[in-house]
Amino acid sequence: GWTPLAATFSQFMGRFGQLTNALSLLLSYFGFPRLLRTLGLRRTLLLFPTLLAVVTAAAYLALPLNLPLLFGSMSLLKAASYSVNDPSKEILHM
């Protein structure tokens, strides 16, 4: 059945998806071409693992139980994966 908890979770996931897709669109349109031009392919490919390590360290060490920041960080990581990391890997396959 449909419970208030399920409705809250659905609302949360909806907001997460909206934020992730908005960030991904902005990064794809404005960020990726600029990153590729200024950093080159090699450094652009290294950007995502570096960002992942920094966000993971911050989540575990500096900012435990800060859910809004964790929410934003996870959206940023997912958007960076879609809009920076994946297109960079696709360039390697060309």
Side-chain angles (χ1 to χ4, degrees), residues 68-91:
L69 187 61
L70 192 58
F71 178 83
S73 299
M74 292 305 297
S75 291
L76 178 64
L77 284 174
K78 196 158 196 69
S81 175
Y82 289 152
S83 60
V84 176
N85 197 48
D86 290 350
S88 297
K89 289 190 303 186
E90 288 297 322
I91 290 173

Side-chain angles (χ1 to χ4, degrees), residues 22-38:
L23 285 172
S24 183
L25 176 68
L26 292 172
L27 282 173
S28 292
Y29 190 74
F30 297 109
F32 181 67
R34 182 171 289 154
L35 285 171
L36 207 53
R37 264 194 320 271
T38 57

Side-chain angles (χ1 to χ4, degrees), residues 43-60:
R43 287 190 182 133
T44 301
L45 280 166
L46 290 172
L47 188 65
F48 181 72
T50 304
L51 183 63
L52 181 63
V54 169
V55 169
T56 302
Y60 280 109

Side-chain angles (χ1 to χ4, degrees), residues 8-27:
T8 303
F9 182 72
S10 293
Q11 184 181 23
F12 170 78
M13 290 306 293
R15 287 189 179 150
F16 179 77
Q18 287 175 333
L19 180 62
T20 301
N21 288 332
L23 285 172
S24 183
L25 176 68
L26 292 172
L27 282 173

